[in-house]
Amino acid sequence: MGFYVVQALTGLASASALFLAAAGLSIIFGVTRIVNFAHGVFYMLGAYMAWTLTSQFGDSVLGFWLALIVASLSIGVVGLLVELTVLRRIYQAPELFQLTATFGVFLILQDVTLAIWGPEDLLGPRAPMLDGSVTVLGHPLPSYDLALIVLGPLVLAGLWFLFYRTRWGALVRAATEDREMLGALGVNQRLLFSTVFFLGTALAAFGGAAQLPKGGADLLMGLNILASVFVVVVVGGMGSIPGAFLAALLIAQLNAFGILIFPQGTLVLMFLVMAVVLVIRPKGLLGKAEGASRIESRALIEAAYPAPGVWERSFWALAIAALALLPLAGDAFALVLTKDILLFVLLAASLHFLLGPGGLVSFGHAAFFGCGAYAAALLVTYAESSMVLALLLAPLLAGCVAIIVGWFCVRLSGVYFAMLTLAFAQVLWSIVFQWTSVTGGDDGLLGVWPDTWANDDTVFYYLVTVLAIGGILLLRQAVHSPFGFATRAGRDSMLRAEALGLHVKQVQHVAMVFAGALAGLAGALYAFSKGSAFPDYMGIEMSFDSLIAVMLGGVQSLLGPLFGAGLFSWAAHELSTLSYWRGILGLLIVVLVLAFPRGLAGIPAAFRAARERLA
Amino acid sequence: MAEPLEVQSLNSYYGSAQALFDVSLQVAPGEAVVLLGRNGAGKSTTLKSIMGLVPRREGRLRFGERDIAAMQAYRIARLGLGYVPEERRVFAALTVEENLLVGQKEQTKSGDGRTNPWSFERLFQLFPNLAELRGRLGGHISGGEQQMLTIARTLMGNPSLLLLDEPSEGLAPIIVQQLGAAIKELKDMGLSLLLSEQNLKFASAIGDRAYVLESGHVRFAGTVDQLLADEEGRRRWLSL
Amino acid sequence: MTALLSADGLSKHFGGVIAVDAMSFEMAAGEMFAIIGPNGAGKSTCFNMLGGQLKPDSGRVSLAGEDITGMTSRALWGRGVGRAFQIAATFPSMTVCENLQVGLMRRYGRLWSILRSARKQYREEAEHLLRLVGLGEAADKLCGYLSYGDLKRVELALSLVNEPRLLLMDEPTAGMAPDERRALMDLVVRLARERECGVLFTEHDMDVVFGYADRILVMQSGRRIAEGPPDAIRDNRQVQAVYLGQDFSLEPVPGSVRGAA
């Protein structure tokens, strides 16, 4: 009995840090409507900064707690700087661009942390006076856990007071509804946004700092907490602080007890709980049913995808000719690089079908890519299947996974849809990662080579090119087809589409399966191209990379995302030899987003505008 | 006293589309001016442009001694311009009282040094329905009540010039009558008014002078009486 | 003869608030039937229950004798119910003609093809419908660039795709200029008479209501307070008290003292 009580108390203690980070994300999202991917990195920075400060001043009780607070506030200031330099310029930009920019910030700050504190995991200091343990029903519990247990409700009460008992709080709540109106009433939105962002990042940093004595600091904690925080915020209800608290308690307890029953699958468990909650209560535990975030009709007009013109047809003719002639150049490396790029472009094009015509923001599209790769690898490894059969079955299997995942996801919309796709992708990733006996876990599956007839580099290159270009053209044709019109109709106006007899959710479901199958094809080809399948193929980073590639190209365009993906994939290859290449990539992303808020497809228009201004 | 508003050659754009062409108008202190025109003629855009709420505007915009052409909305509001939007835009998750609180500006005196005559009690005298709704959420009151609340919310900021965008749109006739009485009372208190309307009857009951807009151009400027007498023009621009 | 549409004891509560309380009415094919009442009287709630956007808590709706209570708008579409929304809902990223083509492709069950090109499907039929509502010229304009009045007409054309026997129009002329209102309502009346299609509409413009409705139902606080032909409604004391009011007390007085001009 005592053991379970202690386990529950440990759960409560870890809930606090989770709650702090989630509350911060929730507040920022509420006001700025930005899903801040950089949030995890502020949590991590909070821990690192607290480590540095406590090692200087952490010997006394006062010094220790002051160090935590000063660390949080100073990271809050870093957040403020990010808000002033990056976010402030893109509040009017499309939602997806904001995501891309914050992910760029994430990459930069991740590498900054690496540069300052190095790659070693840091051990947390002991909190003065709280370094011992107390005995609860015969079992020891670290005293510091008690402090953490008190901390959560304390912060919750403080936030409640701030939001419901001060004019600033009323302004913040008003801003979550209608920022422009608030400005017209004489409220300085910029100042309000900056203060909110400061508060949100400081809370995240405080979460990281507070858990330091318990868990230390490492470079992966940012990405890890991000996934958990998304789950907490979504389960609790986007924008609801009490909801975040409740969800943090639930998730933390789940972890505390889940680890006893199913030690390998805590991550799976967490995401399954999220999926169940969202299917039963699509707005989260305490989330309010608000109208689905309206996409501005002007943004939709830009996503009109007119019928292909002469310019586009000639582009395709040229591109196909160039690809066909490439092997004549005799550059083996060029062939490998082009194959990789083409497969990434196919992945991005299939994602673009969801993002653009479908209006469905998927954070976990790489899951289907990975499913395709693993389907092919498993078929080859265990069924000794030929490559042709594997290439036929892999997209079908990826499509089948998309049938299941889509069945849950299309019930939701907007941010919730995005989070749920991320959750499923994580579940699939953990299955692949943890089911070592079948999938090889982290070591992956090796020896997935093409059939002998295709073993020649040039032959396999042509195979990849034909299938990838075929897939891309199929996706493009689909945009102009009746089915493409049906998806766009559902995106433009669900109300009207349903009143015209369209089953919008069904259309979206089919779109997911279609896009998933093509991502699966890309994955299967990739597996044969590399001779292996690894969990990374379906990881968060892969999903985000494809998302960023599409964003960079411009969702509202059809060719843009292809260029974006090509460029991204090429740049990743070129940069990956540099030591801080992820950070440099992040910097590039941020600069591109700030300079061309409509994506690469918007560059011609941006130059035209600049010329007109000069003239 | 209130300051005069002067708009000269205002051009406004949404993206690459131009919505207003050389719009000029004035509102003298204490005056009630109506903007008339069909839907899409540019009435709302004119009000939004004055308030700094359109993406791009060019031209000379002055409120008293200040140039407001490049100013942000919140600073324009602090000078004493109050904007009441067409869609009401009440904060649905805030109570009626919190909505009013948001409208109140930080400083006790507005830009031109007038003390604020508006308090909850004073506003509840003007709009008696609101008094009993103090604790209700903005989203849980009727359309007519929301229209009252949105005006009251703007008044909390103590404006000297009130911009009202189609206040009678979509309201029951009986509510329109109550609203008209309240707006008249504001005028009698010395507030300047600039309101857009499609309802000529409502507009002519309140306005001193009128401008008629058609596809972003000013087609008529004169007194309300002149407009009422100009049957030809009314038919052409307003199809009345 | 069974009525085209009949509602029997329709009710809806939101939290503790009663939005619609035991509403009952019947309307015939070819009839123009208006529901009016103050804001918050429950008109839109009532409409959304009839149109499949909301499920009633209790009560029954039938269409030509068939029970359609709580059906989705998708299912209602299959039974010949067309819908115009209070805020015009069209597909802004498509041209006017493509909007109608989507409707037509759905009607003829051609929406699932991935290999065909959508722009060639049912183009002529779409243009025919557009000419009917007076939008022949605008066929290739993006819906997002249309004026509000034209959008309302696109909506009407969209609801005609399926040759409806019942049209539900929530404030069909809101935000339109007087001449546009007349043009639209003339068209609607013509369709109602020619095609024997019932039209149920709400409206705040009293000229439209009294000029075009055959019968009017007045709601207040979720209940029916009067129902009858326009003349009877105009003279009804109770309706005057809660909705129409005594005529404008703010009539302009020529020669009255005005502020400095």
Side-chain angles (χ1 to χ4, degrees), chain A residues 34-178:
Chain A
I34 290 182
V35 177
N36 182 20
F37 280 138
H39 202 67
V41 94
F42 292 119
Y43 175 85
M44 177 180 76
L45 277 171
Y48 274 97
M49 188 59 102
W51 181 85
T52 301
L53 289 180
T54 47
S55 60
Q56 296 284 320
F57 314 103
D59 298 335
S60 67
V61 174
L62 186 66
F64 176 83
W65 288 100
L66 264 181
L68 294 197
I69 288 168
V70 171
S72 315
L73 293 179
S74 60
I75 299 306
V77 173
V78 175
L80 189 62
L81 288 177
V82 168
E83 198 271 342
L84 292 177
T85 51
V86 180
L87 297 184
R88 175 166 282 194
R89 294 160 197 273
I90 53 166
Y91 283 134
Q92 306 300 328
E95 216 172 40
L96 288 172
F97 253 79
Q98 303 169 337
L99 292 180
T100 314
T102 57
F103 191 65
V105 170
F106 180 98
L107 293 177
I108 297 172
L109 290 179
Q110 181 88 20
D111 269 10
V112 167
T113 313
L114 171 66
I116 297 177
W117 283 282
E120 309 291 318
D121 291 0
L122 302 178
L123 206 62
R126 284 163 176 268
M129 304 282 287
L130 294 170
D131 49 356
S133 62
V134 290
T135 309
V136 179
L137 302 175
H139 292 266
L141 177 77
S143 346
Y144 189 71
D145 278 11
L146 289 177
L148 283 180
I149 291 172
V150 178
L151 195 64
L154 218 58
V155 172
L156 178 65
L159 288 175
W160 184 85
F161 182 83
L162 195 60
F163 282 109
Y164 287 91
R165 284 293 175 270
T166 67
R167 180 168 179 273
W168 184 83
L171 292 183
V172 169
R173 285 185 296 133
T176 59
E177 283 188 49
D178 189 341

Side-chain angles (χ1 to χ4, degrees), chain A residues 268-544:
Chain A
V268 177
L269 215 58
M270 182 163 90
F271 283 105
L272 281 181
V273 165
M274 166 163 152
V276 169
V277 168
L278 284 185
V279 168
I280 298 169
R281 287 187 64 96
K283 296 289 173 193
L285 292 176
L286 297 182
K288 286 193 200 80
E290 51 180 314
S293 70
R294 273 187 307 158
I295 312 175
E296 267 194 33
S297 67
R298 223 152 15 94
L300 286 180
I301 292 170
E302 288 176 355
Y305 312 120
V310 180
W311 191 86
E312 204 191 313
R313 286 176 202 283
S314 17
F315 162 79
W316 279 107
L318 275 176
I320 291 171
L323 287 170
L325 294 175
L326 188 70
L328 299 181
D331 181 347
F333 179 71
L335 288 190
V336 172
L337 182 60
T338 310
K339 263 190 312 192
D340 283 6
I341 291 179
L342 276 174
L343 292 176
F344 187 68
V345 172
L346 177 57
L347 171 65
S350 68
L351 175 61
H352 174 256
F353 189 80
L354 294 181
L355 291 178
L360 298 166
V361 181
S362 169
F363 282 176
H365 197 58
F368 306 117
F369 183 83
C371 280
Y374 270 94
L378 290 171
L379 279 168
V380 168
T381 311
Y382 295 103
E384 289 170 21
S385 146
S386 73
M387 177 186 74
V388 176
L389 186 67
L391 283 181
L392 277 172
L393 288 179
L396 291 180
L397 286 168
C400 288
V401 173
I403 291 177
I404 299 164
V405 172
W407 187 83
F408 287 96
C409 293
V410 296
R411 289 150 186 268
L412 311 179
S413 56
V415 179
Y416 289 90
F417 174 88
M419 303 280 182
L420 195 58
T421 49
L422 178 94
F424 272 109
Q426 279 299 92
V427 169
L428 289 169
W429 178 86
S430 351
I431 290 173
V432 167
F433 189 79
Q434 290 171 344
W435 199 6
T436 321
S437 56
V438 174
T439 62
D442 206 13
D443 299 329
L445 288 171
L446 304 175
V448 190
W449 297 112
D451 296 348
T452 35
W453 62 270
N455 221 346
D456 177 66
D457 276 353
T458 312
V459 174
F460 190 68
Y461 165 81
Y462 278 122
L463 181 74
V464 167
T465 306
V466 167
L467 288 178
I469 294 289
I472 292 165
L473 287 177
L474 180 67
L475 282 158
R476 302 175 51 68
Q477 173 54 36
V479 174
H480 300 296
S481 74
F483 178 65
F485 274 52
T487 26
R488 278 167 60 191
R491 171 199 70 182
D492 279 16
S493 170
M494 176 111 156
L495 203 60
R496 172 48 69 199
E498 288 275 330
L500 271 185
L502 270 74
H503 194 332
V504 174
K505 294 290 172 200
Q506 197 177 51
V507 168
Q508 290 177 340
H509 196 176
V510 173
M512 275 192 80
V513 174
F514 176 56
L518 283 162
L521 174 67
L525 283 167
Y526 194 72
F528 281 111
S529 166
K530 297 284 155 197
S532 58
F534 290 106
D536 285 0
Y537 293 3
M538 52 169 75
I540 290 191
E541 292 212 332
M542 191 71 182
S543 288
F544 283 179

Side-chain angles (χ1 to χ4, degrees), chain A residues 186-199:
Chain A
V187 176
N188 185 351
Q189 299 174 63
R190 292 188 156 202
L191 191 67
L192 190 68
F193 278 31
S194 299
T195 48
V196 163
F197 206 82
F198 172 78
L199 177 68

Side-chain angles (χ1 to χ4, degrees), chain A residues 167 170-171 173-174 177-178 180-188 190, chain B residues 51 53 74 77-78 85 89 91-94 98 101-102 104 106 153:
Chain A
R167 180 168 179 273
L171 292 183
R173 285 185 296 133
E177 283 188 49
D178 189 341
E180 189 187 64
M181 192 59 229
L182 206 54
L185 288 170
V187 176
N188 185 351
R190 292 188 156 202
Chain B
M51 209 57 209
L53 296 175
Y74 81 96
R78 288 180 183 181
R89 296 165 76 166
F91 300 116
L94 271 63
E98 283 172 333
L101 192 67
V102 166
Q104 192 174 42
E106 280 105 10
R153 183 180 65 182

Side-chain angles (χ1 to χ4, degrees), chain C residues 47-114:
Chain C
F47 237 78
N48 288 334
M49 285 193 287
L50 297 171
Q53 279 77 26
L54 277 178
K55 281 203 199 318
D57 294 336
S58 61
R60 192 185 132 98
V61 190
S62 33
L63 181 72
E66 186 192 2
D67 187 353
I68 57 163
T69 317
M71 273 191 191
T72 61
S73 68
R74 197 168 64 234
L76 291 173
W77 172 87
R79 287 165 176 75
V81 178
R83 182 83 154 92
F85 295 98
Q86 188 172 359
I87 296 161
T90 58
F91 310 128
S93 83
M94 301 184 198
T95 66
V96 174
C97 202
E98 287 167 359
N99 265 265
L100 285 158
Q101 283 169 289
V102 168
L104 288 163
M105 287 188 282
R106 170 68 187 94
R107 183 181 170 189
Y108 297 114
R110 286 289 173 81
L111 265 180
W112 295 101
S113 164
I114 278 183

Side-chain angles (χ1 to χ4, degrees), chain B:
Chain B
M1 250 326 272
E3 312 248 20
L5 173 77
E6 208 184 316
V7 176
Q8 261 178 35
S9 312
L10 173 67
N11 291 290
S12 293
Y13 306 82
Y14 289 106
S16 54
Q18 186 162 4
L20 296 181
F21 301 84
D22 283 324
V23 169
S24 297
L25 60 87
Q26 291 88 37
V27 183
E31 194 184 23
V33 174
V34 290
L35 284 174
L36 291 153
R38 294 179 207 194
N39 214 46
K43 304 186 298 292
S44 294
T45 308
T46 305
L47 297 185
K48 284 185 179 169
S49 301
I50 293 170
M51 209 57 209
L53 296 175
V54 294
R56 185 154 79 96
R57 61 192 163 143
E58 288 157 6
R60 203 175 120 93
L61 290 162
R62 296 188 73 80
F63 186 59
E65 294 301 301
R66 319 260 190 135
D67 181 0
I68 58 170
M71 234 180 234
Q72 281 180 291
Y74 81 96
R75 304 195 56 191
I76 295 175
R78 288 180 183 181
L79 291 179
L81 271 82
Y83 171 67
V84 179
E86 186 181 3
E87 319 85 342
R88 301 177 195 134
R89 296 165 76 166
V90 159
F91 300 116
L94 271 63
T95 62
V96 165
E97 202 168 298
E98 283 172 333
N99 264 282
L100 294 175
L101 192 67
V102 166
Q104 192 174 42
K105 292 166 193 152
E106 280 105 10
Q107 64 273 59
T108 47
K109 290 180 174 185
S110 70
D112 51 7
R114 294 168 306 125
T115 49
N116 192 347
W118 297 107
S119 58
F120 288 179
E121 279 58 41
R122 180 73 188 81
L123 281 168
F124 294 151
Q125 275 171 23
L126 188 66
F127 301 113
N129 312 13
L130 292 182
E132 44 203 275
L133 301 171
R134 285 177 90 135
R136 284 271 280 280
L137 292 182
H140 289 180
I141 61 179
S142 76
E145 288 157 357
Q146 286 187 344
Q147 186 65 57
M148 309 282 181
L149 175 58
T150 178
I151 295 176
R153 183 180 65 182
T154 303
L155 288 174
M156 282 299 283
N158 190 23
S160 57
L161 165 62
L162 205 54
L163 311 174
L164 293 153
D165 199 356
E166 302 214 17
S168 75
E169 166 74 26
L171 296 181
I174 198 163
I175 305 283
V176 173
Q177 290 160 32
Q178 291 170 11
L179 194 69
I183 292 176
K184 267 209 135 160
E185 200 177 327
L186 292 175
K187 191 189 163 195
D188 292 340
M189 289 177 62
L191 256 78
S192 323
L193 299 172
L194 176 60
L195 72 153
S196 77
E197 259 306 331
Q198 296 220 47
N199 182 339
L200 182 65
K201 217 154 126 198
F202 184 80
S204 59
I206 293 169
D208 304 315
R209 281 192 310 115
Y211 294 90
V212 177
L213 288 168
E214 188 198 44
S215 20
H217 298 266
V218 176
R219 299 296 186 200
F220 170 94
T223 66
V224 167
D225 293 338
Q226 281 167 346
L227 179 66
L228 288 173
D230 183 358
E231 244 180 78
E232 160 71 23
R234 265 168 33 211
R235 200 168 47 241
R236 182 149 20 109
W237 305 309
L238 304 170
S239 50
L240 282 171

